[in-house]
Amino acid sequence: MDDKFSITMHALERLEERLIPMIRGPHKKFLTDSNNIEKSIYSLLNVNRESLTLVEDKAPERGGSFYDMKFRSYDGVIPLRGVICDNVLVTIWPLGGWRKVTSQS
């Protein structure tokens, strides 16, 4: 995974439809701007790649691979699953609701 990922319009629309309602606080307002949500998911895919986990026991019918990832919002995280094919995020959906992140000392 050395190349940069790109994002389809379909994936961005699914994010707006499925993820924005789960976001809390000022981050929700920030992400209602489509440019900001695109920058956020681009960063998740290309800057914070360590959060991408290949789902090895499943394969999409139309090709590509399933990846799990974690979308961070302030003190919480929303687990996501996306389909990546030829370094393109094709679609994405939440795997559950927002979860508070607690620091472990």
Side-chain angles (χ1 to χ4, degrees):
M1 287 197 308
D2 291 333
D3 296 327
K4 296 282 186 192
F5 290 110
S6 59
I7 306 160
T8 64
M9 185 57 69
H10 174 79
L12 289 172
E13 289 168 354
R14 295 300 72 75
L15 274 171
E16 288 183 45
E17 173 187 300
R18 299 170 178 165
L19 182 67
I20 298 299
M22 301 175 130
I23 302 294
R24 296 180 175 194
H27 206 187
K28 184 171 189 164
K29 182 177 181 186
F30 174 79
L31 290 173
T32 57
D33 180 325
S34 59
N35 289 325
N36 292 336
I37 199 163
E38 184 172 5
K39 289 175 188 173
S40 294
I41 200 65
Y42 182 86
S43 177
L44 174 69
L45 293 171
N46 293 298
V47 178
N48 300 320
R49 282 192 178 199
E50 65 275 359
S51 75
L52 294 177
T53 305
L54 177 64
V55 179
E56 296 183 32
D57 61 341
K58 291 185 176 186
E61 290 180 16
R62 296 182 182 172
S65 300
F66 287 115
Y67 282 87
D68 287 348
M69 55 200 91
K70 294 179 179 168
F71 187 88
R72 298 197 181 281
S73 178
Y74 292 97
D75 63 346
V77 67
I78 298 172
L80 303 172
R81 178 163 291 162
V83 174
I84 297 176
C85 185
D86 297 325
N87 288 343
V88 177
L89 178 65
V90 179
T91 193
I92 194 166
W93 61 93
L95 290 176
W98 183 93
R99 297 178 188 153
K100 186 171 180 81
V101 174
T102 56
S103 60
Q104 298 175 349
S105 309

